[in-house]
Amino acid sequence: IIPWIGDELTVRRLEMLQWQRQEECNGYDRLDPFIFIFGWFHTLMCLVSSIFENHRGTKAGVGFAHSVLVLG
């Protein structure tokens, strides 16, 4: 069994390809040995970017940008 980790679009495309090939002769052509796993990488990066942008603040106020300025 081969795990294949990717973003949501890649996983959905490969699952549809596996579904379309379900009548092939052997298991390798049907993509049976593959397990497609949604890796959460892009989702986590979007969440981190959103949190960073929302809580960065300004250099004058209390927030991440002010802490970066104070810590150098």
Side-chain angles (χ1 to χ4, degrees):
I1 294 180
I2 304 166
W4 190 284
I5 301 172
D7 61 344
E8 187 174 5
L9 182 61
T10 303
V11 169
R12 297 296 168 235
R13 284 181 176 171
L14 289 172
E15 285 175 347
M16 289 306 296
L17 185 63
Q18 189 178 36
W19 180 74
Q20 288 175 348
R21 291 183 167 193
Q22 63 186 350
E23 295 183 12
E24 292 291 330
C25 296
N26 59 33
Y28 189 76
D29 287 340
R30 287 189 305 262
L31 301 174
D32 284 344
F34 295 98
I35 297 175
F36 303 116
I37 302 167
F38 176 52
W40 292 96
F41 176 74
H42 292 99
T43 304
L44 287 177
M45 290 304 294
C46 288
L47 178 64
V48 168
S49 176
S50 174
I51 290 172
F52 178 73
E53 289 297 323
N54 287 327
H55 297 286
R56 180 173 54 184
T58 63
K59 293 179 182 177
V62 178
F64 183 71
H66 176 70
S67 300
V68 170
L69 182 67
V70 170
L71 293 174

